[in-house]
Amino acid sequence: MNGITGIHVAGGMFALLSGAVAFAVRKGGGMHVSAGTWFCVSMFVLGVTASILAPFKSPPDSPIGGIMVCYFIATAWMTARRRSGTSGRFEKIACAIVLVIAIAIIGAGFKAALSPPGQFSGPPGPGALFALGAVCLLAGLSDLKFILRGKLSATQRISRHLWRMCFAFFIATGSFFLGQQDVLPQALRGSPILFVPAFAPFALMLFWLARVRFSSNSQLNWRRMPQRRAE
């Protein structure tokens, strides 16, 4: 498992770097597309390796978290690739998967909340599990609405891509800055300042969603998002 752990760590570090670049450069440009692609690849590696390693932890963990990462990054990537804004077989499969994930996470939240004192060792605690389950449920209902509608407008497509990429980026930043503080300098461990880089993807998400929704030029900046035919 040491080899898989090394790949997992490398994928996480590369996800942080490529994600930061993707958010910093001009949207829709060649650098944005390239950095975004590498971010998706590294996050997918992160999710797959997390799912493999989870059952071997002490105590054993669920692979659902890694599968959730793969779902968000795959649907964000596919949304960018399908410039036509149409849905297909992929979205139907993804919708079913994320709804099952939502039920499993929310069920784990209730199990943790109702367990006898001292039996649940977390993290994540019941509150975090309910929040993650709610996000997955929201994503699944969004997928279902997309499937029933059959097509997204340019603004809807960009918004869908944005919030899913930002949430995936938050998983990377939160896992590193809050969950892996033992690799940080001693002076930073436990510091509230770590919440700033950890939650920065949400601030970026709100900024770009507002810009896409209210700026008439926002769609023009994203025209170079690559296209892929609907399946």
Side-chain angles (χ1 to χ4, degrees):
M1 288 295 153
N2 289 337
I4 297 178
T5 300
I7 295 173
H8 178 77
V9 172
M13 295 305 296
F14 203 79
L16 290 173
L17 293 174
S18 56
V21 172
F23 278 101
V25 299
R26 184 176 67 87
K27 303 299 174 283
M31 181 65 72
H32 171 76
V33 173
S34 179
T37 299
W38 281 109
F39 172 71
C40 289
V41 171
S42 55
M43 284 298 296
F44 200 80
V45 169
L46 190 71
V48 170
T49 53
S51 296
I52 295 173
L53 293 170
F56 296 95
K57 290 183 177 180
S58 182
D61 202 354
S62 170
I64 288 179
I67 298 173
M68 179 186 69
V69 171
C70 293
Y71 160 81
F72 276 102
I73 208 65
T75 52
W77 182 82
M78 185 62 79
T79 301
R81 297 288 292 180
R82 285 185 175 171
R83 192 170 176 180
S84 62
T86 55
S87 62
R89 187 186 312 161
F90 171 83
E91 283 73 23
K92 295 176 182 178
I93 296 173
C95 178
I97 290 174
V98 78
L99 289 177
V100 172
I101 291 174
I103 293 172
I105 294 177
I106 293 173
F110 278 110
K111 182 179 179 181
L114 299 176
S115 62
Q119 180 176 328
F120 178 75
S121 58
L129 290 170
F130 287 138
L132 285 174
V135 172
C136 291
L137 182 61
L138 174 65
L141 294 177
S142 174
D143 287 346
L144 183 59
K145 185 178 180 180
F146 176 26
I147 293 167
L148 294 176
R149 182 189 293 122
K151 188 177 178 64
L152 297 175
S153 67
T155 299
Q156 290 171 334
R157 184 177 67 92
I158 295 170
S159 298
R160 175 181 168 89
H161 171 75
L162 267 171
W163 87 263
R164 290 165 187 262
M165 287 288 276
C166 288
F167 185 72
F169 193 31
F170 163 71
I171 293 174
T173 57
S175 297
F176 179 74
F177 290 106
L178 301 181
Q180 302 294 330
Q181 295 189 30
D182 55 319
V183 302
L184 298 176
Q186 184 67 40
L188 290 176
R189 298 177 190 177
S191 173
I193 200 172
L194 294 176
F195 284 91
V196 176
F199 285 89
F202 284 126
L204 292 169
M205 179 182 70
L206 293 175
F207 170 79
W208 282 109
L209 285 177
R211 185 170 179 178
V212 166
R213 292 289 183 179
F214 302 113
S215 174
S216 60
N217 295 322
S218 61
Q219 295 179 13
L220 301 178
N221 296 331
W222 293 68
R223 279 184 175 177
R224 294 180 62 184
M225 289 173 66
Q227 184 174 1
R228 186 176 186 269
R229 291 183 179 180
E231 295 178 357

